[in-house]
Amino acid sequence: MNWLYGTPLIAASLHICEEFLFPGGFAAWDRRYRPAFAASITPRLHIIVNALLLILCYDVWALRGSSWGTLLWFVVAALLFTNALWHVRGAWKTRSYSPGMVTGLALYVPLTLVGAFMFVRHGAVPPVKAALAFAVGASYPLVSHWIHRRRSRRMA
């Protein structure tokens, strides 16, 4: 089951490539989707947020096999899962392709569902702790919204 700890790093790397390299265009799409936050959506912010995400994903791998690594896997998986749902919601609202939606749906959703099932089924983490860790990671969209709102006010 050690391979599961590496899946967030691989999936997040491919997701970032879809957003910014091929086909790319995520920043411009996001500014159209959330014009109230356009001032906050900067290259610097994207670099920082994605670098932190990749470090967090690496930490999951580095802590593999420990109870902390498994809990961190749930936090990161929830963050990735909710990001996939965010892309789908954005695509639906804008009636346009959201760069990152394909990898979100094809990688983040199955990674979360399969991994969570396997970790809990094999007793790597108690279900209550898994649910709490998942709730922490799933709070990221709310935190992100708050950060963008605060930055937008400050930058205006």
Side-chain angles (χ1 to χ4, degrees):
M1 250 183 10
N2 269 349
W3 64 272
L4 277 172
Y5 294 96
T7 56
L9 182 58
I10 294 166
S13 298
L14 292 170
H15 181 75
I16 292 166
C17 287
E18 180 188 357
E19 286 182 328
F20 298 102
L21 299 176
F22 181 78
F26 173 73
W29 176 87
D30 193 14
R31 284 186 202 97
R32 287 190 309 273
Y33 172 43
R34 303 183 299 171
F37 296 155
S40 175
I41 301 167
T42 64
R44 181 175 184 262
L45 181 70
H46 283 140
I47 290 167
I48 291 168
V49 167
N50 284 301
L52 290 173
L53 174 62
L54 293 175
I55 290 167
L56 199 57
C57 290
Y58 171 79
D59 289 344
V60 170
W61 173 252
L63 294 170
R64 68 190 174 278
S66 73
S67 59
W68 286 109
T70 307
L71 290 173
L72 187 56
W73 184 93
F74 274 92
V75 170
V76 171
L79 189 156
L80 301 179
F81 183 83
T82 56
N83 182 262
L85 299 180
W86 180 88
H87 277 280
V88 170
R89 181 176 185 261
W92 181 76
K93 286 205 155 247
T94 63
R95 303 274 189 235
S96 65
Y97 163 72
S98 168
M101 184 174 65
V102 172
T103 50
L105 287 174
L107 300 176
Y108 287 175
V109 172
L111 171 156
T112 302
L113 298 176
V114 170
F117 174 78
M118 290 182 71
F119 279 128
V120 171
R121 183 168 186 250
H122 287 74
V125 64
V128 171
K129 284 186 178 181
L132 288 173
F134 193 88
V136 168
S139 70
Y140 175 74
L142 300 173
V143 172
S144 174
H145 183 84
W146 178 79
I147 289 169
H148 276 298
R149 184 179 353 182
R150 187 168 182 249
R151 283 174 47 89
S152 293
R153 285 183 190 149
R154 206 175 61 219
M155 298 171 101

